[in-house]
Amino acid sequence: MDKFHRNKPAIRIKVISMGNAETGKSCIIKRYCEKRFVSKYMTTIGIDYGVTKVSINDKEVKVNIFDMAGHPVFYEVRNEFYKDTQGAMLVYDVGNRESFEALDSWLEEISKDIGSASDLQGVVFAVCANKVK
């Protein structure tokens, strides 16, 4: 990287993980951000956070991932984090059909809490099947 690119601040993007409790959202984030596999993980309470840097077209991008607890009791915490979201991972457990069927309710939740319809249109969604044996 030349001197010009090194002195420029990194671009930051905000990604959130969404899905029912115990679908493996935290493990996906640990694997991506920390490059390590965690086979057992404690249930997320509220919000957890991961960050990693990637280079795209010689530009440094900081990917900030907010790991949102999937249990309904944490809704009041989650709804504060939807604003300014640019990407969302909708995670489900392939061995738990209910977690897949719940993805619609996660989309409804972000639609209701993100702000305007144009804010929602700016979010890139990825559906992630997890816990494949």
Side-chain angles (χ1 to χ4, degrees):
M1 226 184 259
D2 64 25
K3 182 179 174 183
F4 175 76
H5 286 102
R6 277 184 293 207
N7 292 331
K8 289 184 79 174
I11 297 167
R12 295 179 183 269
I13 63 169
K14 178 181 178 183
V15 177
I16 59 173
S17 68
M18 303 166 62
N20 284 4
E22 299 180 16
T23 55
K25 298 179 298 293
S26 298
C27 291
I28 290 172
I29 293 167
K30 288 281 184 212
R31 179 75 173 128
Y32 182 68
C33 293
E34 298 177 14
K35 311 298 187 247
R36 65 187 178 105
F37 177 73
V38 181
S39 61
K40 300 242 183 210
Y41 203 80
M42 293 178 63
T43 301
T44 302
I45 298 174
I47 302 288
D48 201 357
Y49 179 78
V51 65
T52 192
K53 293 178 187 175
V54 295
S55 180
I56 301 173
N57 297 330
D58 292 327
K59 293 180 182 166
E60 185 176 277
V61 177
K62 283 189 179 178
V63 182
N64 299 276
I65 305 175
F66 291 84
D67 180 14
M68 304 205 304
H71 196 279
V73 73
F74 295 110
Y75 167 74
E76 294 299 326
V77 175
R78 284 193 309 266
N79 71 356
E80 297 296 321
F81 285 85
Y82 289 126
K83 186 173 174 29
D84 300 323
T85 294
Q86 295 160 307
M89 299 185 318
L90 294 162
V91 181
Y92 72 96
D93 175 351
V94 296
N96 180 336
R97 184 178 180 95
E98 181 181 305
S99 71
F100 177 76
E101 292 171 348
L103 294 181
D104 284 338
S105 66
W106 288 100
L107 286 171
E108 286 175 26
E109 183 175 298
I110 190 173
S111 296
K112 181 178 71 166
D113 293 323
I114 197 167
S116 70
S118 64
D119 291 336
L120 185 62
Q121 290 175 352
V123 179
V124 176
F125 290 90
V127 177
C128 303
N130 200 22
K131 298 189 178 185
V132 178
K133 293 182 184 185

